[in-house]
Amino acid sequence: RQAAESEGYEVRGYAPTTRAAQQLSESGIQTETLQKFLRRREEAPEHQNRLFVLDESSLASTKNIHAFFARLEAQDKVLLVGDIKQHQAVEAGSPFEQFQKHGMETAKLSKIVRQRDERLRQVVKKLSASQVKEAIDSLHKQGRIVEIADDGKRLPGIADAYCKRPENTLVISPANKERGLLNALIHRQLQQEGRVSQPDHQMMVYVNRQDMTGTERTFANSYVPDEDIIRYNRVSKVYGFNVGDYARVAATNHEKNEITVQTAEGREITYNPARLSGVNVYREANRAFSQGDRVQFRAPFTEQRVANGELGTIKEIKDDEYMVVLDSGREIHFEHDSFRHIDHGYAVTSYSSQSQTVDRVLVNANAHESDVLLNQRMGYVAVSRAREDAIIFTNSADQLRAAMDRSVDKEMAVEALRQSRDRDTLSREEWERLVGMSNKESHAEQSFDQGSMGNSAASGGGDKREARQEIELELNS
């Protein structure tokens, strides 16, 4: 930053997540989320020379990167920072990785400084190089793999390990269901040990309906009346919604593909969900909080300047007011009904843990989990959060090596088209090898070219349709 500013550049920072943006701002760079920048009306630049720094670039989608670049001036410079081995964007595309594959000039930092323990540093180095099985073997030799086949015993075992040394310890579990169970187990055990206060304060929180995709949110039959709560993230003058408004689903009409929602003020609005994108869907759930509990904010708390995923500790609960000390040291106060996107913060998902650093990590890794949740990226992100120690609890040490070695790289339409063309080229070479006579070679080549054009067109059309579906899914989400 200082070097760029000394050369006359205005330095601005962006990140795909509020937590990453907050951490980048701690370096002295004026930072905001990429989405907030893109939503703001485009204005003429005040400075001629600008340097944009985009942190955690692997989490940025193709749509947002394209919109970001479209706003740049010819003289602007962009520095993309991130790790292509960590989690990719939830939305369509992996542009940061694609840029590097296609020749973007890249400077790499090879020295690992987070891990203070040399043996753990070597494990992280192997995970970063996709040497997963070797990394798991190293952890096993170091006594950092704990095998407990029964879920009913493994989860309490993780909770017990946390409670023995809770200071600067984080539990990472890929599935939300097990994350919730671990949080409840740890909360109860800490109460029994007197580390958090005994009285429970019940709070109705909002839990994201992660079973709904962006496309499913456009269909009325995906919603459940009286249960689903919708948060609107975009202004709609037609229906009278502002950013941050909530409404409960009151009724659905499958034939017309319409839902009827009711706001807190009693307004009832009926609309086609396909025509109103930019929403999140939640369900209500009860949580018991006590003084001393660790909590995580599961959505941005704009009024209090709290990032999505930020952690803190409940200092006091008085009547309906919560006093929370964030890990940054800042203290906030809020009424329990003013913000319901909060949960226990002992166990988090690997996506939520990205950008965090703690002394000790306890990883719940059920080898039977799907490859969407347990894979190379999850293992690398989870283990690399720790400075001093990382312990993996699994149902099968033998199966863990293969389960965590699964690759979940996104398949891009452009890569599929290239592979299709490569296959066509190989077929052509094979055909020419088999045809011996020169006069037949000419005829065969002409025939192949015509067939190849047809195959390429068909393949390209399919890839375009797939890419279009991904873009539509992104827009709906």
Side-chain angles (χ1 to χ4, degrees):
R1 176 182 62 87
Q2 292 175 345
E5 289 176 345
S6 66
E7 293 295 325
Y9 281 90
E10 177 195 24
V11 183
R12 291 292 179 90
Y14 304 96
T17 66
T18 49
R19 181 174 180 82
Q22 188 178 63
Q23 290 193 333
L24 181 59
S25 68
E26 293 173 1
S27 67
I29 298 176
Q30 185 176 340
T31 308
E32 62 184 340
T33 63
L34 180 61
Q35 295 85 335
K36 184 176 181 180
F37 169 72
L38 296 177
R39 283 198 303 266
R40 194 167 56 245
R41 181 175 298 177
E42 195 168 357
E43 299 176 352
E46 297 180 0
H47 295 78
Q48 185 175 0
N49 297 324
R50 300 185 298 177
L51 171 63
F52 295 125
V53 180
L54 178 61
D55 198 12
E56 294 288 1
S57 297
S58 68
L59 295 176
S61 67
T62 296
K63 175 191 172 186
N64 285 342
I65 287 289
H66 176 268
F68 178 54
F69 283 177
R71 289 199 173 195
L72 300 180
E73 302 292 336
Q75 68 275 12
D76 290 336
K77 295 185 182 297
V78 178
L79 177 62
L80 302 179
V81 182
D83 188 342
I84 62 174
K85 295 293 184 179
Q86 295 190 8
H87 288 304
Q88 296 174 310
V90 175
E91 302 87 358
S94 55
F96 184 53
E97 186 173 348
Q98 291 297 312
F99 290 155
Q100 295 187 47
K101 284 184 177 180
H102 291 84
M104 179 180 70
E105 184 178 347
T106 305
K108 296 185 178 181
L109 301 176
S110 57
K111 184 178 180 180
I112 299 175
V113 297
R114 175 180 288 161
Q115 281 69 44
R116 299 169 183 165
D117 181 272
E118 177 59 30
R119 296 187 305 166
L120 184 59
R121 185 185 300 123
Q122 292 304 316
V123 168
V124 172
K125 189 174 182 179
K126 291 175 181 177
L127 290 171
S128 69
S130 299
Q131 298 172 2
V132 178
K133 293 181 179 179
E134 293 83 350
I136 297 298
D137 289 341
S138 296
L139 287 171
H140 203 287
K141 292 177 182 177
Q142 297 169 19
R144 285 170 161 152
I145 302 289
V146 178
E147 182 177 342
I148 306 176
D150 187 355
D151 284 357
K153 296 180 179 179
R154 187 177 68 259
L155 298 185
I158 297 173
D160 185 61
Y162 178 94
C163 293
K164 285 180 179 178
R165 202 180 102 196
E167 293 79 16
N168 214 356
T169 296
L170 187 67
V171 178
I172 298 178
S173 184
N176 264 299
K177 180 180 179 180
E178 291 180 336
R179 178 191 64 82
L181 290 172
L182 284 163
N183 275 324
L185 287 168
I186 294 171
H187 165 77
R188 193 61 60 201
Q189 186 166 337
L190 289 175
Q191 270 190 328
Q192 293 172 357
E193 296 176 1
R195 293 173 181 255
V196 301
S197 65
Q198 286 293 331
D200 276 336
H201 297 263
Q202 299 296 326
M203 180 177 178
M204 188 70 72
V205 301
Y206 291 155
V207 179
N208 198 0
R209 270 199 63 185
Q210 295 184 327
D211 59 315
M212 289 182 72
T213 65
T215 299
E216 288 172 334
R217 286 196 286 268
T218 67
F219 294 109
N221 59 2
S222 299
Y223 294 85
V224 180
D226 299 325
E227 292 188 14
D228 287 341
I229 295 170
I230 301 176
R231 183 185 192 275
Y232 298 89
N233 301 318
R234 297 178 184 174
V235 174
S236 173
K237 295 181 179 179
V238 175
Y239 300 109
F241 291 122
N242 292 315
V243 175
D245 283 350
Y246 292 84
R248 184 184 296 272
V249 177
T252 60
N253 187 320
H254 300 174
E255 294 181 356
K256 295 182 178 181
N257 194 43
E258 291 180 342
I259 63 174
T260 299
V261 299
Q262 187 175 55
T263 66
E265 298 79 21
R267 285 196 308 135
E268 286 197 351
I269 304 102
T270 300
Y271 65 90
N272 184 334
R275 297 177 181 174
L276 195 59
S277 60
V279 302
N280 292 109
V281 185
Y282 301 93
R283 292 272 176 86
E284 289 179 326
N286 272 310
R287 291 289 186 269
F289 294 110
S290 301
Q291 290 179 195
D293 261 333
R294 293 282 289 165
V295 292
Q296 182 186 37
F297 293 85
R298 306 283 292 171
F301 195 175
T302 307
E303 292 79 5
Q304 296 284 354
R305 296 182 291 111
V306 178
N308 179 27
E310 193 161 355
L311 296 166
T313 302
I314 298 177
K315 182 178 179 180
E316 185 181 5
I317 303 175
K318 189 175 182 180
D319 297 328
D320 292 331
E321 185 180 37
Y322 282 66
M323 183 186 304
V324 176
V325 179
L326 303 176
D327 284 359
S328 63
R330 192 163 57 88
E331 191 174 287
I332 65 170
H333 303 250
F334 61 94
E335 300 287 334
H336 80 280
D337 58 355
S338 65
F339 187 80
R340 298 189 183 276
H341 301 278
I342 190 171
D343 206 341
H344 290 106
Y346 304 109
V348 301
T349 64
S350 61
Y351 262 99
S352 182
S353 73
Q354 190 159 318
S355 299
Q356 296 192 39
T357 301
V358 294
D359 287 343
R360 188 173 69 130
V361 164
L362 308 176
V363 183
N364 175 40
N366 187 333
H368 296 154
E369 198 67 76
S370 73
D371 60 350
V372 175
L373 295 176
L374 186 61
N375 49 61
Q376 288 184 1
R377 296 180 185 278
M378 181 273 176
Y380 176 40
V381 170
V383 174
S384 63
R385 299 307 93 198
R387 295 190 190 97
E388 304 287 354
D389 195 14
I391 302 175
I392 298 179
F393 291 77
T394 182
N395 62 311
S396 171
D398 291 336
Q399 296 176 24
L400 178 66
R401 297 167 77 251
M404 200 170 280
D405 195 29
R406 294 177 293 191
S407 175
V408 289
D409 297 340
K410 290 184 177 180
E411 291 188 3
M412 305 299 296
V414 65
E415 293 295 331
L417 181 59
R418 180 187 61 77
Q419 292 172 8
S420 174
R421 287 172 176 168
D422 289 346
R423 287 194 295 270
D424 288 344
T425 301
L426 291 174
S427 300
R428 175 176 181 171
E429 292 171 350
E430 181 69 9
W431 179 259
E432 289 177 343
R433 185 180 66 81
L434 294 173
V435 178
M437 296 178 63
S438 59
N439 59 340
K440 291 183 179 180
E441 285 180 3
S442 176
H443 175 72
E445 186 170 339
Q446 182 179 5
S447 300
F448 178 86
D449 285 341
Q450 293 173 351
S452 177
M453 290 175 63
N455 290 337
S456 294
S459 174
D463 289 326
K464 287 179 181 178
R465 283 194 296 273
E466 183 177 345
R468 189 179 299 113
Q469 289 173 356
E470 287 187 353
I471 293 171
E472 289 173 352
L473 178 63
E474 152 74 9
L475 291 172
N476 289 330
S477 65

